[in-house]
Amino acid sequence: MTRLLLRHARLATFDGPTGWGLVDDGALLVDGGRIAWLGPDAGLPALQADAELDLHGALLTPGLIDAHTHLVYGGDRAAEFEQRLQGASYEEIARAGGGIRSTVAATRAASEAQLFTEAAARARALMRDGVTTIEVKSGYGLSEDAEARCLRVARRLGTELPITVRTTSLAAHALPHEYAGRADDYIDEACRWLAGQHAEGLVDAVDAFCDTIGFTPAQTRRVFDAARALGLPVKLHAEQLSNQHGAALAASYDALSCDHLEHLDGDGIAAMNAAGTVAMLLPGAFYFLRETKLPPVAALREAGVPIAIATDHSPGSSPALSLLLMLNMACTLFRLTPEEAWRGVTVNAARALGLADRGRLAVGLRADLVAWDAAHPRDIAYRFGHNPCQRVWCAGIETQPA
Ligand code: DI6
Ligand code: FE
């Protein structure tokens, strides 16, 4: 592990409760994959470095964190996209056995190698945007073998690509056709699988889809009890299409995050705030499903609930592969400020994954870094369809453009 000294960069540290944390002409020393020193270049102490790079005024930020993806799946939903443009709703398609279930069929039919190849290509697309940590959910297998296969693929992404992968078991994503009318029996099975997934080291967190076309709060509670029995943290797809009071339920289990939240109410906000649960907003799904009810950003801001932003990459609700685009959508659609959006893909996204070692530029944290051809982070949120990512380091080791 070399000592790498980066010089003459504009640092955006996001260190501290608010603000960009800018150091205009800054330097940063990496040692052993961690940040060993940072500050004004003019204040550099005498130090030995194995390598020194002049970044010529480039912007240097923490590596981006995409903390909510459904990256592992087979097939695609382009035909459904067309159906929705011909008038069918997302819910109608799901109730008619399409939607997630059609992806489940394609995923079950795919080999582990095929699932990995396709998921790796998607992960590389995210990496081109400066993403150095991703969360990857299961949820398209919906059988014991297929769910484990998807989680193994997710784990393999983290071992074969220069990124950190955090996995989430989402067997409670949809009811597979073979359990039609027997949701409680399916939840029993999904809870049973969890122990084996955990024993194999496949699971970092557990999620569920608590909604009209997902599972009930009572079924969600059973999933959370199974997670808690294994010492696994939870998160929840909550209040996306309706208010099931899932956020308050998840907060009562100290959930890392509640995600989507278009239908979140004041009680849910208060419960999340009390539990320190992160509000994970997903503008790609809002946009792609043409939702009309905005998540309560002003109330979340007022309550001091940390807000994170992610792609929600999934074949049906957000086939997006640009976290930079989500920065702009979070501002343009959800009215976050550029600073809030940036905190949403760095420090707050790290918190949504329970990771305290990244998301900020601070001594001792992982040297996940991105150099940008931009003068200020707000310039990157302002432009969309533009990628100014110049160089990426993962734990201090420069990654080649994927
Ligand atoms: N909500 C979502 O937006 C994704 N899953 C969920 O629970 C979409 C899943 C899909 O349509 O493929
Ligand atoms: Fe999702």
Side-chain angles (χ1 to χ4, degrees):
M1 211 44 107
T2 56
R3 283 166 60 89
L4 170 66
L5 178 59
L6 302 176
R7 302 197 60 183
H8 302 300
R10 180 179 225 188
L11 310 183
T13 67
F14 299 101
D15 201 15
T18 60
W20 300 101
L22 291 178
V23 179
D24 275 344
D25 178 20
L28 185 146
L29 175 71
V30 178
D31 189 1
R34 300 258 166 190
I35 297 170
W37 184 92
L38 77 164
D41 193 278
L44 254 181
L47 49 81
Q48 292 298 316
D50 304 303
E52 182 173 318
L53 282 176
D54 183 339
L55 293 182
H56 300 293
L59 176 68
L60 192 71
T61 71
L64 303 192
I65 300 168
D66 192 354
H68 182 133
T69 84
H70 304 255
L71 220 51
V72 179
Y73 59 87
D76 68 60
R77 301 259 284 283
E80 176 183 316
F81 176 60
E82 205 167 28
Q83 277 179 289
R84 288 199 289 112
L85 286 164
Q86 288 155 355
S89 77
Y90 181 77
E91 286 190 70
E92 284 160 355
I93 293 168
R95 290 190 193 286
I100 294 176
R101 280 186 180 177
S102 66
T103 300
V104 170
T107 303
R108 288 177 173 178
S111 68
E112 189 166 320
Q114 190 182 355
L115 289 173
F116 175 79
T117 300
E118 292 175 8
R122 296 172 189 130
R124 289 190 190 97
L126 292 173
M127 291 163 62
R128 285 192 284 272
D129 268 20
V131 172
T132 52
T133 298
I134 53 175
E135 181 259 13
V136 181
K137 303 176 191 290
S138 67
Y140 291 110
L142 307 188
S143 70
E144 185 167 15
D145 289 348
E147 280 294 302
R149 189 179 337 138
C150 290
L151 288 167
R152 286 187 201 106
V153 168
R155 272 279 183 261
R156 195 176 148 201
L157 291 172
T159 55
E160 297 198 17
L161 296 177
I163 46 171
T164 298
V165 169
R166 300 294 285 176
T167 61
T168 299
S169 179
L170 176 59
H173 190 199
L175 188 65
H177 66 85
E178 62 270 24
Y179 280 90
R182 296 189 298 124
D184 281 328
D185 293 345
Y186 175 67
I187 289 295
D188 284 344
E189 279 297 284
C191 290
R192 185 179 62 77
W193 303 338
L194 204 49
Q197 294 169 359
H198 180 53
E200 195 178 331
L202 297 176
V203 186
D204 297 315
V206 179
D207 190 353
F209 180 28
C210 182
D211 220 311
T212 50
I213 57 171
F215 295 91
T216 66
Q219 291 160 349
T220 301
R221 182 183 291 277
R222 286 166 52 203
V223 173
F224 284 176
D225 286 338
R228 177 176 276 178
L230 295 167
L232 290 169
V234 299
K235 42 182 65 238
L236 188 63
H237 282 69
E239 277 69 283
Q240 176 183 3
L241 307 172
S242 65
N243 187 356
Q244 303 289 323
H245 308 289
L249 170 62
S252 73
Y253 283 79
D254 296 323
L256 291 172
S257 70
C258 290
D259 303 32
H260 285 286
L261 300 178
E262 281 83 348
H263 293 261
L264 178 67
D265 63 15
D267 290 346
I269 292 172
M272 289 175 67
N273 188 39
T277 298
V278 174
M280 172 73 69
L281 305 184
L282 304 169
F286 178 90
Y287 161 81
F288 191 69
L289 298 178
R290 300 178 66 237
E291 296 296 346
T292 54
K293 184 162 177 49
L294 287 165
V297 168
L300 286 164
R301 183 184 289 134
E302 177 67 28
V305 175
I307 294 173
I309 302 295
T311 60
D312 189 23
H313 177 84
S314 70
S317 69
S318 183
L321 283 172
S322 171
L323 191 57
L324 294 179
L325 177 57
M326 299 302 124
L327 279 177
N328 181 274
M329 282 187 170
C331 299
T332 303
L333 297 176
F334 289 173
R335 320 307 293 160
L336 267 64
T337 65
E339 181 200 325
E340 287 171 330
W342 262 94
R343 284 180 167 270
V345 298
T346 53
V347 57
N348 291 342
R351 186 165 167 177
L353 297 180
L355 297 174
D357 67 343
R358 64 195 73 197
R360 293 176 293 128
L361 301 185
V363 171
L365 269 61
R366 270 176 68 93
D368 289 351
L369 309 167
V370 183
W372 306 90
D373 177 14
H376 193 288
R378 74 165 68 88
D379 303 345
I380 298 172
Y382 158 70
R383 292 187 176 82
F384 59 110
H386 172 60
N387 183 352
C389 175
Q390 277 183 332
R391 304 177 79 158
V392 181
W393 293 265
C394 198
I397 296 171
E398 187 162 8
T399 64
Q400 298 313 315

